[in-house]
Amino acid sequence: SRPPLPQQQSLFDCGRRMNKGDHCWLSSQLPSSLSSSSSSFSPFVATSNMTMTPTIRSFSSSSQQQQQLPPDDPQAQFKPSPPTKLNLDMAQGIQNANRLIIQHGVGKQRLQLLSQTDDTSLPLTVKWQRMMEIYLGAQLHVIASLGYSTDESGIMTYTRQLAQFIGHECTPEQQEMFRTMGRSTWRSMLVLAFDLDTQMIEEQYGNEVSIVDARNMVHKVASRLIEPKILEEVMKRVSQIPISSTSSKHDPDEEVGLKHSIIQDVVVNHVYLGGDPPLVEELGLGSGPKAYALMQYVMSYHEHDPLCTQYTSSSMVKIWKAAGLDLGNNQSDGTIAALGKLPMSTIC
């Protein structure tokens, strides 16, 4: 339920690709009006760039019986608009609908299909991105019905409104309710995509590690992230990003996306799953991608702990600087939040 934060560049990339005309997981299951990459489309109307005729369907008629609307009919000309702010019913409804799709609907089916892929043929970073695209597709499906545009701008508008509502208008009890809902959705995604054993997690960890263990784990992660060899690897790979010979063709968003992808790849393959021993093994979580997913599952409860955030922020600032990301021009609320979270962290 967050905007496409830097450590979640899979969301960032998915939104960017949709703006360029690519599709996410819902496009193969929806009518052409809902798989369009246009930022102005709604699942309930035909947009100006579509060739299909706007129709209205009676609840009592069969799917073959459709009545064409005249072009000057108000329903044919209808253009949706998003809410200017969220209230409790709206915020809860969106979160519950998103969770329904992930835990019981098409999102679940897609995640289960993803879990069947061989780890040797599908790198963790790619699998993670596909998992996040499934989440994003579900969220886009829900917020489109409220009038938000189904592109990165719509996601950003919704998540900004959600953050403002939760941060400024909710009681502490309501804030905890939203954190719990987000954590439930996040854990369901991990269980389904990586085929985690929930019974083992319950028996061994009680669903989450203790606050002491969580802080120790984050401290180890943060320490490994700022090792000279890790920072040097990030700098080396960023320096190899090809620069367009024609400045007019330079895409700053694409460059930022590449830098975030480099950070993610280095962190995953040189920190969590690399090294001697790999960090997930040093933490006693097992080996390979499933161990990484397990760590995300058991750590999610303590994501907002101040000390964990402090450890992470200090290391992420150095990682960002090594990648040449300009913190001075990125001091938004989303960026500040991102610095307090590790790459490929939670969405709740």
Side-chain angles (χ1 to χ4, degrees):
S1 306
R2 294 183 182 276
L5 299 179
Q7 80 285 357
Q8 299 163 343
Q9 78 290 340
S10 49
L11 294 187
F12 177 92
D13 290 343
C14 186
R16 180 160 48 81
R17 287 200 308 278
M18 284 191 297
N19 287 338
K20 294 181 182 295
D22 292 343
H23 303 287
C24 271
W25 68 283
L26 284 173
S27 60
S28 64
Q29 311 211 15
L30 299 175
S32 58
S33 61
L34 195 52
S35 60
S36 166
S37 62
S38 168
S39 61
S40 61
F41 83 85
S42 162
F44 308 113
V45 298
T47 57
S48 59
N49 65 339
M50 294 170 52
T51 57
M52 62 180 289
T53 304
T55 60
I56 184 170
R57 181 172 296 161
S58 168
F59 287 109
S60 61
S61 66
S62 69
S63 59
Q64 302 299 320
Q65 296 174 320
Q66 297 184 1
Q67 173 188 352
Q68 291 189 353
L69 291 172
D72 59 347
D73 189 286
Q75 291 295 328
Q77 299 177 357
F78 171 74
K79 292 184 178 181
S81 58
T84 56
K85 61 182 297 186
L86 295 176
N87 58 35
L88 185 60
D89 286 342
M90 295 164 67
Q92 277 187 292
I94 294 172
Q95 294 292 297
N96 282 325
N98 193 41
R99 183 169 56 175
L100 177 68
I101 293 173
I102 294 297
Q103 293 183 344
H104 304 286
V106 176
K108 177 181 179 180
Q109 298 171 31
R110 290 277 181 165
L111 289 166
Q112 289 175 326
L113 182 62
L114 183 61
S115 72
Q116 298 172 16
T117 57
D118 186 358
D119 291 338
T120 60
S121 62
L122 188 68
L124 173 57
T125 52
V126 177
K127 184 172 184 175
W128 198 269
Q129 181 164 322
R130 291 182 182 178
M131 179 185 76
M132 296 304 292
E133 288 176 352
I134 291 171
Y135 167 78
L136 179 60
Q139 189 173 78
L140 287 171
H141 183 68
V142 174
I143 67 173
S145 63
L146 276 79
Y148 293 95
S149 61
T150 53
D151 58 5
E152 189 176 3
S153 174
I155 287 286
M156 292 292 286
T157 299
Y158 160 66
T159 48
R160 183 175 62 251
Q161 291 177 351
L162 181 65
Q164 290 173 345
F165 171 70
I166 294 177
H168 301 289
E169 300 184 40
C170 286
T171 65
E173 292 75 19
Q174 290 170 335
Q175 291 174 346
E176 179 59 30
M177 174 195 67
F178 281 109
R179 282 193 290 268
T180 300
M181 293 170 66
R183 188 163 57 247
S184 173
T185 302
W186 174 246
R187 285 178 166 176
S188 294
M189 289 170 57
L190 293 171
V191 168
L192 291 166
F194 290 89
D195 194 25
L196 298 182
D197 186 342
T198 54
Q199 183 176 348
M200 180 277 292
I201 296 174
E202 170 65 30
E203 293 174 354
Q204 188 168 341
Y205 299 98
N207 278 329
E208 58 254 346
V209 295
S210 69
I211 184 62
V212 174
D213 288 339
R215 289 171 174 174
N216 288 336
M217 292 170 72
V218 173
H219 185 267
K220 285 185 178 181
V221 173
S223 299
R224 188 76 74 89
L225 284 174
I226 59 176
E227 289 181 354
K229 62 181 180 181
I230 299 300
L231 299 178
E232 290 170 3
E233 179 67 19
V234 171
M235 288 188 287
K236 182 182 77 173
R237 294 180 57 176
V238 167
S239 69
Q240 296 171 348
I241 295 177
I243 301 176
S244 174
S245 58
T246 306
S247 59
S248 62
K249 294 181 180 180
H250 179 65
D251 187 344
D253 287 341
E254 183 174 357
E255 182 179 335
V256 170
L258 288 172
K259 289 180 177 180
H260 288 309
S261 296
I262 288 172
I263 290 175
Q264 185 184 68
D265 188 65
V266 171
V267 168
V268 169
N269 295 307
H270 292 258
V271 176
Y272 288 113
L273 304 184
D276 187 19
L279 187 57
V280 290
E281 294 182 19
E282 183 180 335
L283 295 173
L285 296 166
S287 61
K290 184 171 287 192
Y292 178 81
L294 173 61
M295 184 188 72
Q296 293 287 346
Y297 187 107
V298 299
M299 286 287 295
S300 61
Y301 185 82
H302 303 292
E303 178 197 8
H304 301 283
D305 175 68
L307 194 53
C308 289
T309 301
Q310 179 183 334
Y311 289 152
T312 304
S313 297
S314 61
S315 62
M316 289 308 299
V317 165
K318 295 182 179 180
I319 286 278
W320 276 37
K321 287 183 177 179
L325 292 169
D326 186 358
L327 296 176
N329 293 330
N330 288 280
Q331 292 303 313
S332 64
D333 290 342
T335 297
I336 294 171
L339 291 175
K341 294 168 64 94
L342 296 171
M344 290 173 52
S345 188
T346 66
I347 48 83
C348 58

